[in-house]
């Protein structure tokens, strides 16, 4: 099939849809996600799935649903609202528990998050699995708060059994072999991360659904990061056998240059297709090897699935100055950049669909590393929960506050050891691949072993 050719520009329509979705209070659950997915239904005929709270999904459980009616902090003396969720959805820490309390600045201060090095920006913070509450504000606003008054804190929210909501669309092709596109839908009032990916996916879905039938089927998943991808994988495990190629779509609107992160396999057809097409553009771009930190490639590329799924972005997560701050706004994403991302993905789809392989197993063989010989004196481990990441936070192994730019080195080591311990690489080989010190990886392996997540095999 040829999906390119002359088409009207989609960039302005995509940017307008991002602007419509931008203020909705998304999180990993709740009405903001539902409203977002319903708006996408005006673009592509996706199905909205509701998964009840308490549903077990691999090592995780679908959490309570979170919805906020209002949340603010008011100076009790002047009546001035010093922080208000109605002004910006980033002002409230995601999954904050309900609060109604008068308190001193000293008592309030541990609940306030700022970016001292970027004093005019509001940070993005979440605490999905550790019950707490907090507000995010600019550092300048924090500095203007007086210790001579008290503050009335109101978080009028519900955190109760409900559902996790995700969207899905399968566009049938000539065969059951699939190309998967996945975008995370959980970020509130941030434009590049990841409304750009959400909206490019929706327009791509509309375009593919209206075009000639492909040899592959095309599957789109719009789901909250981590828990949503894990939920989709848990409910669709048999269908994953059909996935021949896949792309996580994120940060596709800033236009700074493309970044492609290879799948865990490293040499999957999607890895070759994207890198060749990027090279053919003649423009600067970055190709990164797989690492087990980032977006939902962490789940699709967990060793128990090892799907050929790469990550396509403009700026890479965690590295651009606006990342996870209020500066990731409508001015950061540009119609031309969205259009360029859309067209590049079209080229990738054309390439993959044209080079269709009739051999269903041809692309699914284990990578050579799985049978790599052991290096003497370095242990090898086996991940005992290889399907998706285990929930490290509740075992005290991972920070429970989300949204920060990068994890600690020990946390990265945990992810590397889990992702690579399929009986193939030794700890020494994981050290080379991850560029992490062997002693940190050894500590991580011991902690995972003690938690029952890892077994030493030699
Ligand atoms: Zn993010």
């Amino acid at each position: 099939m040829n999906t390119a050719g002359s088409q009207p520009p989609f960039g302005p329509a995509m940017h307008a849809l991002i602007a419509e979705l931008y203020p909705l209070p998304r999180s990993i659950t709740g009405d903001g996600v539902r409203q977002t997915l319903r708006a996408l239904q005006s673009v592509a005929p996706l199905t909205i799935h509701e998964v009840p709270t308490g549903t077990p999904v691999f090592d995780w459980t679908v959490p309570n649903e979170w919805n906020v009616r209002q949340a603010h902090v008011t100076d009790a003396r002047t009546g001035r609202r010093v922080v208000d969720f109605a002004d910006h959805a980033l002002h409230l820490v995601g999954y904050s528990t309900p609060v109604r309390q008068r308190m001193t600045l000293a008592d309030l201060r541990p609940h306030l998050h700022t970016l001292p090095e970027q004093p005019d920006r509001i940070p993005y913070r979440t605490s999905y699995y550790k019950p707490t509450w907090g507000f995010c504000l600019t550092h300048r606003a924090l500095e203007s708060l007086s210790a001579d008054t008290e503050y009335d804190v109101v978080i009028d929210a519900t955190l109760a059994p409900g559902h996790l909501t995700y969207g899905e669309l399968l566009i049938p092709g000539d065969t059951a072999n699939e190309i998967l596109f996945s975008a995370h839908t959980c970020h509130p009032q941030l434009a590049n991360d990841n409304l750009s990916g959400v909206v490019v996916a929706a327009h791509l879905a509309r375009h593919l659904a209206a075009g000639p039938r492909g040899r592959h089927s095309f599957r789109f998943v719009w789901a909250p990061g981590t828990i949503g991808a894990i939920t989709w994988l848990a409910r669709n495990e048999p269908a994953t056998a059909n996935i021949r190629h896949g792309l996580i779509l994120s940060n596709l609107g800033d236009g700074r240059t493309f970044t492609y992160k290879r799948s865990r396999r490293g040499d999957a057809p999607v890895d070759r297709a994207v890198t060749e097409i990027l090279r053919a553009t003649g423009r600067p771009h970055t190709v990164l090897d797989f690492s087990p930190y980032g977006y939902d490639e962490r789940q699709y590329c967990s060793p128990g699935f090892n799907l050929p799924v790469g990550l396509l972005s403009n700026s890479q997560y965690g590295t651009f100055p606006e990342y996870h701050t209020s500066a990731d706004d409508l001015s950061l994403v540009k119609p031309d950049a969205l259009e360029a991302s859309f067209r590049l993905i079209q080229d990738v789809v054309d390439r993959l669909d044209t080079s269709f392989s009739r051999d269903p197993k041809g692309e699914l063989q284990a990578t050579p590393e799985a049978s790599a010989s052991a290096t003497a004196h370095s242990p090898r481990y086996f991940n005992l929960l290889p399907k998706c990441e285990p929930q490290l936070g509740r075992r005290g192994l991972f920070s429970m506050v989300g949204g920060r730019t990068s994890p600690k080195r020990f946390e990265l080591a945990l992810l590397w050891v889990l992702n690579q311990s399929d009986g193939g690489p030794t700890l020494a080989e994981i050290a080379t691949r991850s560029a992490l010190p062997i002693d940190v990886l050894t500590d991580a392996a011991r902690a995972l072993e003690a938690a029952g997540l890892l077994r030493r095999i030699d």
Side-chain angles (χ1 to χ4, degrees), residues 124 184 186-187 190 193-194 251 294-295 317-318 323-324 328 403:
Y124 168 47
H184 61 276
C186 50
H187 288 29
L190 293 165
D193 181 15
N194 186 36
N251 300 337
Y295 293 120
Y317 56 83
Y323 176 77
H324 282 189
D328 181 353

Side-chain angles (χ1 to χ4, degrees), residues 202-216:
H203 274 261
L204 185 69
R206 176 165 80 173
H207 179 74
L208 291 172
R213 206 174 162 91
R215 278 187 274 189
H216 291 82

